[in-house]
Amino acid sequence: MSATIIDGKVMAAAVRDEVAARVSELTAAGIKPGLGAVLCGDNPGSATYVRSKGRLAQELGIHFDLRTPAADSSTADILGLVRDLNEDDSIDGILVQLPLPAQIDTDLVLDATRPDKDADGLHPFNFGRLAQGAPSPVVPCTPSGCMELLRRHHVPLRGARAVVVGRSALVGRPMAMLLLNADCTVTICHSRTSDLAGVCAEADILVAAIGRPGMITAAHVKPGACVIDVGINRVDGALRGDVDRASVEPVAGWLTPVPGGVGPMTVAMLMHNTVALCAARRGSGVPAGSH
Ligand code: NDP
């Protein structure tokens, strides 16, 4: 057996087409969705991500407002920018690119974003809705992108055993909640988990969000399982996931590649969130849609 490779680029293109159609509906109703971004610091990875988000927003007809405060900005400086964007009626989604420089209190900044403009779904209000299993127009982009990949490939979810390796607020925790809300039986693993391989090998759906290149091998994978590789690690100038593709591909039923798997979905879901927030806040009569 060899795993079906889940092509995130094709799936992301489908999401982008859906977003473009909803932008057209909003524009026809006289509403142009807007995304505001704050990029602070000189992390080259962050600058590349924000550039690609801005390019895609503009391609889709979403107004993009980029703020680039100096790397030595204070928490108060960044809070001031977030408040500006909160008050700007042309902005529907706000994205604060993480990580912020060490002198800035990231939690305070994320908490200052209006929940109804929280394009990344990281505000405690939206996170709380997700934890309650309540409907919300936004969920964090990377985990919701993973769910789209599972759904669009008809991977069985109800009653499935799902294991998420990683418990960050950005990926692992919301991923586990989304799987739980989709009726999976979920286990979360982390650096203190004993017998990681044994726990992972029980999973019908295994999500690796660790940040350690090639750590998940065939020993962690149940034959036929769906393996979602969230990891993005730069090794000798190339991108590698957390999954050792060479050993896992012959065992798994489905596998997302790196690059070209979860990454493209993350950016597409940010656009989806922005348009969903726009429709919810300003688009009375325009369906909000759901993912
Ligand atoms: P974090 O560093 O915040 O979290 C990593 C998690 O992995 C932690 O919970 C940690 O456990 C766990 N972990 C680390 N080592 C081990 C180990 N040996 N065994 C078991 N668990 C371990 O990372 P993020 O969640 O932010 O990101 C994870 C990966 O996903 C990174 O490679 C990142 O680049 C990538 N990423 C990709 C995105 C995409 O669009 N594709 C978007 C966002 C992130 P503990 O809590 O105990 O420390």
Side-chain angles (χ1 to χ4, degrees), residues 237-272:
L239 291 186
R240 276 197 72 195
D242 290 339
V243 174
D244 175 28
R245 180 171 174 172
S247 82
V248 168
E249 192 171 341
V251 181
W254 296 266
L255 175 63
T256 64
V258 177
V262 174
M265 288 300 285
T266 297
V267 188
M269 295 316 290
L270 176 69
M271 303 304 142
H272 164 82

Side-chain angles (χ1 to χ4, degrees), residues 142 166-168 190-191 209-212 215 230-233 262 266:
T142 300
R167 57 177 165 180
S168 71
H190 45 79
S191 65
I210 312 163
R212 298 193 182 261
M215 204 188 100
V230 179
I232 298 184
N233 309 286
V262 174
T266 297

Side-chain angles (χ1 to χ4, degrees), residues 139-284:
V139 284
C141 302
T142 300
S144 63
C146 294
M147 292 305 291
E148 284 300 307
L149 292 177
L150 292 169
R151 291 208 174 94
R152 288 170 193 248
H153 274 265
H154 308 291
V155 175
L157 295 172
R158 181 166 296 170
R161 291 288 307 268
V163 172
V164 179
V165 190
R167 57 177 165 180
S168 71
L170 188 63
V171 189
R173 283 170 201 257
M175 184 75 235
M177 286 181 230
L178 283 169
L179 289 163
L180 180 63
N181 293 348
D183 295 329
C184 295
T185 301
V186 183
T187 303
I188 305 177
C189 298
H190 45 79
S191 65
R192 303 284 183 263
T193 297
S194 8
D195 187 21
L196 182 71
V199 178
C200 290
E202 290 182 3
D204 303 306
I205 297 167
L206 176 61
V207 180
I210 312 163
R212 298 193 182 261
M215 204 188 100
I216 299 297
T217 66
H220 299 77
V221 177
K222 174 173 161 180
C226 178
V227 181
I228 303 287
D229 189 355
V230 179
I232 298 184
N233 309 286
R234 200 164 279 282
V235 180
D236 299 331
L239 291 186
R240 276 197 72 195
D242 290 339
V243 174
D244 175 28
R245 180 171 174 172
S247 82
V248 168
E249 192 171 341
V251 181
W254 296 266
L255 175 63
T256 64
V258 177
V262 174
M265 288 300 285
T266 297
V267 188
M269 295 316 290
L270 176 69
M271 303 304 142
H272 164 82
N273 280 355
T274 302
V275 172
L277 289 170
C278 175
R281 194 174 64 87
R282 300 199 266 163
S284 57

